[in-house]
Amino acid sequence: MTIEFVPVETPEDRAALATLASEIWHEYWPALIGEAQTDYMAEQFQSLEAIERDVAEHAYEYWFLRTAEDGRTVGYTGGRVEPETNRFFISKIYLRAEERGHGFASQTIRFYEDLCRARGLAAMYLTVNKHNDLGVRAYRGKGFETIDSVETDIGQGFIMDDFIMEKRIGA
């Protein structure tokens, strides 16, 4: 199946995105980081307020991932250009549980490669939880390299324990 990248543009789109984000986060993350941290992070980084703040204050762009064949929403993605580093920060690539393993993440990485080339960016990067073995392996398989390891205090006693992975973009 082929996915289309549908821009999140309207207030209704952003509300639908926040609902989708909450569904995906509460399905996937409790097994890795626990229910309490999942709830906290979903509220801090995936809620309607967080999405609107990211768009307004940090120039984030978001897209729904929809199948071209039947218009089914399989996930979402988003991030922002960092002019100071000439890179695109991929903040989010999230798929519904039943949609994983169908090549949608690979199509999303290709989307970002094309976007980086079109915008003249040298690289794209992301953070991935060190214990998310599936994600780490998938990104390595797509040409990302680990360039750093960070522990970020996000408040309420919670820590994000991540690798920073980068993929350089050729001309």
Side-chain angles (χ1 to χ4, degrees):
M1 290 217 152
T2 304
I3 54 171
E4 297 174 331
F5 297 86
V6 180
V8 172
E9 297 175 321
T10 67
E12 294 79 15
D13 288 346
R14 290 189 293 278
L17 177 61
T19 299
L20 176 63
S22 181
E23 289 172 20
I24 292 173
W25 266 69
H26 286 92
E27 174 275 321
Y28 187 77
W29 286 106
L32 281 174
I33 62 174
E35 197 72 46
Q37 186 166 347
T38 299
D39 289 344
Y40 178 76
M41 289 182 70
E43 181 60 31
Q44 293 297 308
F45 305 116
Q46 309 290 328
S47 65
L48 178 57
E49 295 78 15
I51 291 165
E52 289 179 338
R53 177 189 64 233
D54 285 344
V55 168
E57 297 176 16
H58 304 291
Y60 271 67
E61 301 170 79
Y62 289 99
W63 296 268
F64 291 110
L65 309 179
R66 292 205 178 119
T67 58
E69 292 79 3
D70 61 11
R72 189 173 76 251
T73 299
V74 299
Y76 68 103
T77 190
R80 71 182 201 88
V81 172
E82 288 187 349
E84 64 276 12
T85 65
N86 197 37
R87 300 185 300 178
F88 193 95
F89 172 56
I90 303 172
S91 174
K92 300 159 179 76
I93 299 176
Y94 293 111
L95 298 169
R96 290 186 156 130
E98 66 274 12
E99 306 296 354
R100 295 184 196 121
H102 301 291
F104 299 138
S106 295
Q107 291 180 56
T108 303
I109 296 300
R110 282 193 300 276
F111 167 80
Y112 282 120
E113 290 169 347
D114 293 344
L115 183 133
C116 287
R117 282 188 194 95
R119 295 182 182 184
L121 301 172
M124 57 187 172
Y125 79 101
L126 49 78
T127 59
V128 60
N129 183 291
K130 291 175 187 169
H131 306 288
N132 182 357
D133 296 331
L134 181 65
V136 170
R137 280 196 318 271
Y139 293 128
R140 280 195 185 122
K142 300 295 170 215
F144 284 81
E145 296 179 6
T146 301
I147 60 169
D148 206 353
S149 175
V150 295
E151 291 182 8
T152 307
D153 183 338
I154 58 170
Q156 302 292 314
F158 296 119
I159 302 291
M160 289 192 324
D161 190 15
D162 294 333
F163 290 124
I164 298 175
M165 300 184 79
E166 180 183 72
K167 182 172 184 172
R168 304 296 297 173
I169 302 298

